[in-house]
Amino acid sequence: MSYEHLTVDLIPGYLASKPELSSLIDWQKIKNIEEVGDGNLNLVFIIQDELGSGVVLKQALPYVRLVGPDWPMTPDRARFEYETTIAHSRWVGDLVPKMYLFDRDRFIMGMEDLSDHLVWRGALNQGLRHEGVAEDLGRYVASVAFGTSIFGMVAEEEQAALARAVNPELCRITEDLVFSEPYANVGRNSVLMANEKDAAELANNTAMITEIGELKWSFMTHAEALIHGDLHTGSVMVRNSNGASLHSTKVIDSEFSFYGPVGFDLGALWANYVIAAARAFALGNEEQANWALSLFGKTWETFESTFRQRWPERIDPSTFSDGVLERTLHQWGIDAAGFAAAKMARRIVGLAKTSDIETLDESVREGAARGVLRVAQHFAVHRHSGHAPSLLSGHAGEILAATVTG
Ligand code: SR1
Ligand code: MG
């Protein structure tokens, strides 16, 4: 697919051509333009003018940036991100960036400049603690789960939203990278030599493989709500928590969104809390590790209380009785533990790893990677008999403490 890709030189002219953007930033007095895309897929530019106004331009390339033109991918993913961000803003307007523009010809989004925020993964890697973020994310997942699902929407509208959000190419990436490749290497996996035994143990764990198969089926068939689809700590921006008025959490990068299982977003968060804890243990910072593990409960509790709060507003209370609420929440806990397992394992053995682990010195990375893989297998296999966040985070802490530092 051919369309002009943005460069620093083209940006002032681009801003001038778009009234939605030239009303927000003075394109004739640009002070700084920086390409900051550190994800796996897109170009991202932060543009600021001399008066301090800023915008972000994000352009989807027709291929996976991490790999290059040899892995083509639909740039229409920008439309999914734009439309999902707007759909989610209806329920959690404070937790997503403002969207100013979508250019359908060049797959460019114009959006809020969040350069006073940090990417949460980077902040966690530095040992920073942003209080309240895990709770915000619980509220985000619950509000979206209620508001975009059949519980909160009239059936015909929900079906139309679902149809519009069918996102096969991006879902295929998740199906392959998260659920298949860690157990059947097609040449994209990699681990330290010292972790080869651990990767083989994972790939040969038949109980784990059964759970992963069931989870993949759930991912591909359970069209519950318009989920984010890639809710790791790199998809969250955070701002200083030293004062209540400064506190801010923004969920970004919803290009993998589709109608899928609610537990997938919760599981992504839980997986990344374990990964952050593994890093902290590897660096000898047990206090930070325990703090990272305490986020499990914070996200779940706010998720559960927010969802319960919305429940009386459901569209069809005579069918969706309180018994349905209890069973649904119970199942989402089991699902979240399973999806967390899948997400942890893929980040250790598959393509697209995390800086939490990859920036550790090899001498401690080995134990951290092994610890995360063992937690993943524990979560997947034991999730049916106990999925309470305190139980899971307790087990994760014990396994990590023994493996990472052992
Ligand atoms: C080829 S894209 C690799 C990964 O980057 C995104 O963040 C998703 O997690 C995807 O699986
Ligand atoms: Mg992303």
Side-chain angles (χ1 to χ4, degrees):
M1 179 171 294
S2 138
Y3 54 91
E4 196 173 32
H5 298 177
L6 281 175
T7 61
V8 168
D9 293 343
L10 290 173
I11 283 177
Y14 186 78
L15 295 173
S17 73
K18 301 288 177 193
E20 303 92 322
L21 300 174
S22 55
S23 59
L24 297 170
I25 187 162
D26 189 341
W27 61 271
Q28 289 171 300
K29 293 193 180 140
I30 299 294
K31 190 171 142 208
N32 196 39
I33 304 180
E34 206 184 339
E35 205 281 312
V36 295
D38 67 348
N40 298 320
L41 299 173
N42 306 299
L43 292 174
V44 183
F45 296 90
I46 298 178
I47 305 123
Q48 282 161 338
D49 70 15
E50 288 169 8
L51 291 173
S53 299
V55 291
V56 163
L57 292 180
K58 178 168 176 181
Q59 184 174 40
L61 297 170
Y63 52 82
V64 175
R65 183 178 182 176
L66 173 72
V67 175
D70 285 348
W71 188 347
M73 188 177 6
T74 174
D76 199 36
R77 61 187 186 270
R79 175 180 70 78
F80 290 101
E81 180 170 341
Y82 178 76
E83 292 186 354
T84 294
T85 305
I86 289 175
H88 286 180
S89 72
R90 188 167 160 214
W91 306 106
V92 275
D94 60 321
L95 297 180
V96 291
K98 291 191 191 79
M99 284 288 175
Y100 304 133
L101 158 120
F102 179 52
D103 177 339
R104 284 169 203 278
D105 301 319
R106 290 173 68 187
F107 307 99
I108 297 170
M109 286 166 278
M111 62 174 89
E112 187 178 356
D113 173 18
L114 296 174
S115 45
D116 58 348
H117 290 58
L118 298 171
V119 176
W120 199 21
R121 187 185 301 289
L124 290 164
N125 284 352
Q126 288 177 53
L128 300 175
R129 297 185 201 173
H130 285 77
E131 302 294 351
V133 175
E135 290 88 339
D136 286 344
L137 295 171
R139 176 164 60 87
Y140 168 84
V141 178
S143 306
V144 162
F146 186 88
T148 67
S149 73
I150 204 65
F151 296 130
M153 281 176 98
V154 176
E156 290 77 1
E157 284 173 20
E158 192 261 2
Q159 292 290 305
L162 186 157
R164 193 149 179 82
V166 172
N167 191 357
E169 281 195 49
L170 281 275
C171 282
R172 182 61 196 257
I173 290 179
T174 304
E175 289 151 23
D176 290 345
L177 294 188
V178 176
F179 298 106
S180 297
E181 294 184 16
Y183 313 91
N185 189 2
V186 295
R188 291 197 282 232
N189 293 351
S190 60
V191 287
L192 289 175
M193 209 188 292
N195 288 126
E196 280 173 3
K197 264 197 333 219
D198 306 298
E201 182 182 284
L202 175 83
N204 293 320
N205 182 340
T206 49
M208 172 90 180
I209 290 168
T210 302
E211 296 300 326
I212 294 292
E214 188 179 51
L215 289 157
K216 183 172 182 179
W217 171 76
S218 165
F219 178 82
M220 296 178 75
T221 58
H222 292 194
E224 295 172 350
L226 181 59
I227 66 169
H228 180 281
D230 196 24
L231 192 51
H232 55 80
T233 49
S235 296
V236 180
M237 307 278 296
V238 296
R239 193 171 59 192
N240 192 332
S241 56
N242 289 334
S245 63
L246 285 177
H247 169 85
S248 170
T249 303
K250 300 283 181 189
V251 176
I252 59 168
D253 283 8
S254 52
E255 64 209 312
F256 282 81
S257 59
F258 75 115
Y259 266 76
V262 169
F264 190 73
D265 280 352
L266 292 166
L269 293 169
W270 283 358
N272 281 272
Y273 300 160
V274 171
I275 290 170
R279 174 187 176 81
F281 272 123
L283 294 176
N285 191 346
E286 197 175 328
E287 205 185 317
Q288 178 73 5
N290 288 332
W291 179 81
L293 293 172
S294 76
L295 303 177
F296 265 72
K298 291 175 179 164
T299 293
W300 176 266
E301 278 148 29
T302 315
F303 167 78
E304 182 177 348
S305 62
T306 307
F307 198 85
R308 285 186 185 281
Q309 236 170 346
R310 301 295 311 275
W311 188 247
E313 299 160 38
R314 64 202 181 280
I315 299 283
D316 183 4
S318 61
T319 310
F320 300 131
S321 65
D322 289 346
V324 174
L325 170 67
E326 299 310 324
R327 282 198 193 177
T328 305
L329 287 170
H330 180 79
Q331 185 60 46
W332 282 342
I334 297 172
D335 291 354
F339 288 124
K343 300 281 242 174
M344 280 180 241
R346 67 76 58 111
R347 292 292 184 200
I348 299 299
V349 299
L351 184 78
K353 302 190 189 301
T354 66
S355 57
D356 319 39
I357 304 296
E358 294 306 295
T359 57
L360 291 171
D361 188 81
E362 281 194 19
S363 60
V364 286
R365 199 191 317 159
E366 172 194 342
R370 181 172 302 122
V372 174
L373 287 180
R374 292 207 176 146
V375 176
Q377 289 167 89
H378 182 91
F379 275 25
V381 175
H382 295 283
R383 68 196 176 111
H384 302 284
S385 53
H387 59 270
S390 57
L391 192 74
L392 292 172
S393 57
H395 283 145
E398 284 161 22
I399 294 169
L400 290 177
T403 320
V404 175
T405 53

